[in-house]
Amino acid sequence: MASPWRQLINGQITLDEALQLLVDPEGIVTLDLLDLEVSRRFRRHFPHDYELPPVIPLLLWRNCYYLGSTTELSKGKIKQLRDRTDMDLKVISIADKSYRDWSYIQEIDLNRIDPTRLVELFKEKEELEDLSTFTEIYLLKNKNATEQLNFIIAGAMYNRASDIHLEPTQKGLRVRYRIDGMLRDIVKPSQGLNTNLITALKVMSNMDIAERRRPLDGRVKMNYAAGQDAELRLDMRVSTFPAVQGEKAVIRLLPQKNPFSNVYDLGFTETALKIYQGWLKQPQGIIIITGPTGSGKTSTLYTSLQSVIKEFLNVVTIEDPVEYVLPGITQGQVLEAAGMTFSAGLRAILRQDPDVIMVGEIRDEETADTAVRAALTGHLVFTTLHTNDAVSAIPRLKGLGLDPSLISDALLGIVAQRLVRKICPYCAKLYKPTAEDLRYLGLEEHQANPEKWRKGDGCSKCSKSGYLGREGIIELIDVDQAVGQLICEGTVAQIQHHLHSINFDSFRLAAIDKVTKGVTTVEEVRRVLPYSVMNLSS
């Protein structure tokens, strides 16, 4: 179909009809209908982009350029444009979004893009809407599936995404990024992205592209330029899942830079941090980190390991998988097909003269028993369990068949954690707590430090969400003599009663600390923590 400009010069439509086809009453320009020849003729008068105001060449008709503009041009600017083009000018008001989208199209030149420098293309695409539009325009211009995939990965890296979801639907492929723990649409199915992208991902991950009936796993390593000649090495874990509409793929992004600074940044309250630092100074014992997938256990483990590294210590790990390579540590990878399980790896580590051991996860009785006995024989052991809170780790260990007295003697303490989004510092505003907020936290107004409460209004830095970044909200049980005795002789209910009686560092106290210091909001705490942990009677 010919463009409105071609139809106009061929006498098929009138000028008004051409303009109505190009610009709707809200000022939205139908960019697909613009004729490249009109743009080429206009822009040849302006070899440098900085000479142009924010205008889109819409039509050229009878020695007059019809320009779409987001702002009212001054008489001086209009005269300057007329002098340069030697044409008359008429300006039509258009929406800001239309000009941004058009400028992205001008910016993308597929012939000049270096795949290793894709990350730099996303600079100044701060709003999620801008990111989605820019991504859509690039993907529609570039039909090469591998290059499309590289572009999607680069966009995820630039926007701090932890995962990319590629989801087939009846209408096409849906692309979502997980940013600060929340999934956000980047490419909608209606935009026509082909599911060939998943095949390209499987090729890149050395997966069997003919196998679509069962889940597959793979890994990819890539290098990207990150600006100012810096290079970012990226390790990606890829998994596929056969679904009704086709294979779904999820990419876990693991930038190979050290994101772990020190234990002060993990999110402990002041009292919990002092206790935890005391554990890290111990020569032996076991420290358990609990929480569901994606709760920040890896960050806590790796940061803790880095804090105990000394030249005279031998630190060895067995992990599944090794997510980050840390200097000064010997890291081992589980490979069950070769017989390298957690239990086999842990037994081998004990023959390597270790001082500090990290076991990625306790999954069976043999691993649990070996870890506990290692802690009792002069080793500091870190490990994880999947439980909902800290106290649940105790019956979990007992359920694996361990002697309660051994658990009591070996345990230094248990940490349970979740990740809450932090209030965006760029758009944070004072917020007066409501009666419902105070009731949820179990506080009186004079206890709530109300002058520190904040909420984010939403801005370009946080994609209008009001949150930017995440921090741990942490529950901690210090296994002292009283708790140790209850592990040996008491029930879980008795342990819980004792912990509440001593006002231990619970999720509730950690949540109150975060909200009353203006770190996060009650809404975010409600989203992350079950109501039972905030219920004083529990």
Side-chain angles (χ1 to χ4, degrees), residues 10-24:
N10 290 334
Q12 297 172 274
I13 59 176
T14 66
L15 174 62
D16 286 343
E17 288 171 336
L19 289 172
Q20 288 171 11
L21 286 173
L22 290 173
V23 185
D24 74 9

Side-chain angles (χ1 to χ4, degrees), residues 366-387:
E366 185 179 3
T367 306
D369 184 67
T370 308
V372 167
R373 293 184 186 279
L376 291 171
T377 54
H379 306 92
L380 182 60
V381 180
F382 294 87
T383 191
T384 72
L385 283 173
H386 286 284
T387 62

Side-chain angles (χ1 to χ4, degrees), residues 1 46 76 151 154 244 256 326 347 368 382 391 396 416 470:
M1 178 180 174
F46 304 92
F151 190 83
V244 174
Q256 291 300 294
L326 301 179
R347 288 196 306 271
F382 294 87
V391 75
R396 178 86 172 93
R470 289 190 294 173

Side-chain angles (χ1 to χ4, degrees), residues 420-441:
V420 290
R421 292 179 294 170
K422 296 191 292 184
I423 297 166
C424 175
Y426 299 98
C427 60
K429 298 287 179 65
L430 287 172
Y431 168 75
K432 181 176 175 57
T434 65
E436 175 58 30
D437 293 333
L438 297 174
R439 185 162 48 251
Y440 175 74
L441 295 179

Side-chain angles (χ1 to χ4, degrees), residues 110-232:
L110 299 179
N111 296 319
R112 294 190 295 106
I113 290 177
D114 178 355
T116 67
R117 308 196 75 84
L118 284 172
V119 176
E120 296 181 358
L121 286 177
F122 290 90
K123 289 179 180 176
E124 299 177 6
K125 313 299 184 296
E126 294 178 336
E127 297 190 18
L128 191 64
E129 182 181 359
D130 287 353
L131 168 64
S132 299
T133 302
F134 187 61
T135 303
E136 176 190 352
I137 290 168
Y138 179 92
L139 296 178
L140 292 178
K141 288 191 73 170
N142 190 343
K143 299 301 182 183
N144 182 290
T146 301
E147 293 178 8
Q148 288 179 331
L149 187 58
N150 283 333
F151 190 83
I152 289 170
I153 293 168
M157 290 169 58
Y158 187 80
N159 287 276
R160 303 179 297 104
S162 60
D163 302 85
I164 304 170
H165 289 236
L166 307 176
E167 305 167 355
T169 71
Q170 287 183 333
K171 295 182 179 179
L173 196 67
R174 180 189 193 190
V175 180
R176 295 194 287 175
Y177 292 166
R178 188 176 292 280
I179 302 173
D180 290 337
M182 305 291 282
L183 281 171
R184 301 181 183 180
D185 274 329
I186 301 300
V187 179
K188 294 182 172 63
S190 58
Q191 292 165 350
L193 195 59
N194 198 291
T195 53
N196 288 343
L197 209 64
I198 293 178
T199 302
L201 176 63
K202 292 174 73 173
V203 171
M204 188 185 293
S205 310
N206 293 317
M207 294 180 183
D208 182 357
I209 62 173
E211 180 56 78
R212 299 181 178 178
R213 298 167 301 173
R214 62 185 181 89
L216 299 174
D217 293 293
R219 287 186 90 113
V220 186
K221 292 183 183 293
M222 300 183 72
N223 292 336
Y224 283 98
Q228 297 181 344
D229 298 323
E231 187 173 76
L232 180 62

